């Protein structure tokens, strides 16, 4: 069964610190993997998209990695800011079917 | 460029009542999606339209949910009758081509009492 699992479920860190969110998937075939940021009360917004051949992609303070062999991805946030408080959702595209993870809820404390 | 518009933003109803949500996609986007997002979970696709035709409605509970996209632009999603487990955020998204480049609206938060 195609599945996307994210960890941790929730995370609290202090402003200015770094953090890494994990995404493990059992999806076949694999087309690409996308990370979304979802602020409270808003729809998801795409942060990065990675294809099979890409293993790192950055978007400002956000850096996503992909290991297609182990079927793992991570999202690293550098020098966190209060505005980074949100849910981060990993989505795997399998032949145009999107398999969504449950997300990691990140809280940044001042 | 205007984003995806949804209304209402919030709705509270009692079980067995009916409710309808409206979505206006980004101009020129042929594909429109309705998702249900239960608290603490990722979005679940309910229905996907390409212009005014249905592409995928395999996860739409058709005994109570219906959706239409007349003229291939705006769309409405209806629940009749509502159940307690329908409490969720209903997200509308649109894309120009394919499911990857989706742009989401702010969602409608439905509470069924």
């Amino acid at each position: 069964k195609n599945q996307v699992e994210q960890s941790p479920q929730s995370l609290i860190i202090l402003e200015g610190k770094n953090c890494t969110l994990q995404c493990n998937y059992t999806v076949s075939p694999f087309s690409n993997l996308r990370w979304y940021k979802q602020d409270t009360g808003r729809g998801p917004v795409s942060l990065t998209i990675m294809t099979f051949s890409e293993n790192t992609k950055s978007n400002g303070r956000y850096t996503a990695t992909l290991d297609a062999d182990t079927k793992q991805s991570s999202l690293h946030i550098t020098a966190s800011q209060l505005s980074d408080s949100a849910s981060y959702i990993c989505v795997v595209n399998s032949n145009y079917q999107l398999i969504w993870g449950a997300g990691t809820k990140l809280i940044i404390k001042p | 460029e205007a984003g995806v518009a949804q209304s209402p933003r919030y709705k509270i109803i009692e079980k067995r009542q009916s409710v309808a949500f409206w979505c206006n996609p980004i101009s020129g986007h042929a594909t429109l999606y309705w998702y249900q997002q239960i608290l603490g979970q990722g979005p679940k696709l309910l229905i996907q339209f390409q212009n005014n035709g249905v592409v995928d409605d395999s996860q739409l509970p058709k005994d109570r949910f219906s959706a239409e996209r007349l003229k291939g632009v705006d769309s409405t999603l209806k629940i009749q009758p509502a159940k307690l487990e329908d409490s969720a955020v209903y997200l509308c998204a649109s894309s120009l081509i394919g499911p990857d480049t989706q742009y989401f609206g702010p969602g409608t938060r439905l509470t069924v009492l």
Side-chain angles (χ1 to χ4, degrees):
Chain A
K1 181 184 175 183
N2 286 336
Q3 275 188 315
V4 174
E5 295 186 351
Q6 293 188 241
S7 62
Q9 203 168 28
S10 61
L11 181 63
I12 302 173
I13 64 171
L14 292 175
E15 185 180 11
K17 297 295 186 183
N18 304 336
C19 66
T20 301
L21 314 180
Q22 298 290 342
C23 172
N24 296 338
Y25 59 92
T26 53
V27 174
S28 183
F30 174 90
S31 299
N32 56 57
L33 183 148
R34 190 184 291 261
W35 283 92
Y36 280 93
K37 178 187 179 189
Q38 186 173 22
D39 291 316
T40 301
R42 309 290 292 271
V45 174
S46 179
L47 291 174
T48 64
I49 180 171
M50 302 179 72
T51 59
F52 187 87
S53 59
E54 297 173 298
N55 53 25
T56 303
K57 185 166 279 189
S58 292
N59 177 0
R61 294 179 296 101
Y62 301 102
T63 300
T65 65
L66 175 65
D67 186 332
D69 291 331
T70 61
K71 298 189 175 183
Q72 295 180 326
S73 177
S74 66
L75 181 69
H76 185 76
I77 304 175
T78 303
S80 61
Q81 300 176 359
L82 297 178
S83 58
D84 293 330
S85 292
S87 288
Y88 293 83
I89 308 175
C90 173
V91 187
V92 178
N93 182 341
S94 176
N95 276 354
Y96 289 102
Q97 180 189 16
L98 299 182
I99 297 98
W100 293 75
T104 292
K105 186 174 178 65
L106 176 64
I107 298 172
I108 311 296
K109 291 203 163 186
Chain B
E1 176 182 82
V4 176
Q6 290 188 246
S7 68
R9 291 296 314 276
Y10 306 92
K11 189 74 178 179
I12 301 174
I13 62 173
E14 295 192 349
K15 61 183 179 183
R16 291 189 288 274
Q17 285 188 323
S18 302
V19 65
F21 312 128
W22 173 82
C23 173
N24 180 238
I26 293 173
S27 177
H29 281 194
T31 311
L32 185 147
Y33 314 79
W34 282 102
Y35 288 89
Q36 180 192 59
Q37 187 175 25
I38 292 172
L39 188 65
Q41 298 182 19
K44 169 189 161 186
L45 179 68
L46 293 176
I47 189 167
Q48 176 184 343
F49 291 96
Q50 180 76 21
N51 296 311
N52 60 351
V54 175
V55 173
D56 182 358
D57 64 356
S58 56
Q59 297 194 87
L60 186 73
K62 298 180 186 63
D63 57 333
R64 298 185 300 107
F65 286 64
S66 64
E68 59 182 10
R69 192 184 184 197
L70 300 177
K71 301 180 182 178
V73 182
D74 293 7
S75 177
T76 55
L77 176 70
K78 296 179 182 178
I79 307 175
Q80 180 180 11
K83 292 184 175 181
L84 296 176
E85 58 261 36
D86 297 333
S87 293
V89 174
Y90 290 85
L91 293 165
C92 178
S94 70
S95 67
L96 189 58
I97 45 172
D100 280 357
T101 52
Q102 291 183 71
Y103 296 86
F104 285 82
T108 296
R109 180 175 295 279
L110 173 67
T111 302
V112 182
L113 303 175

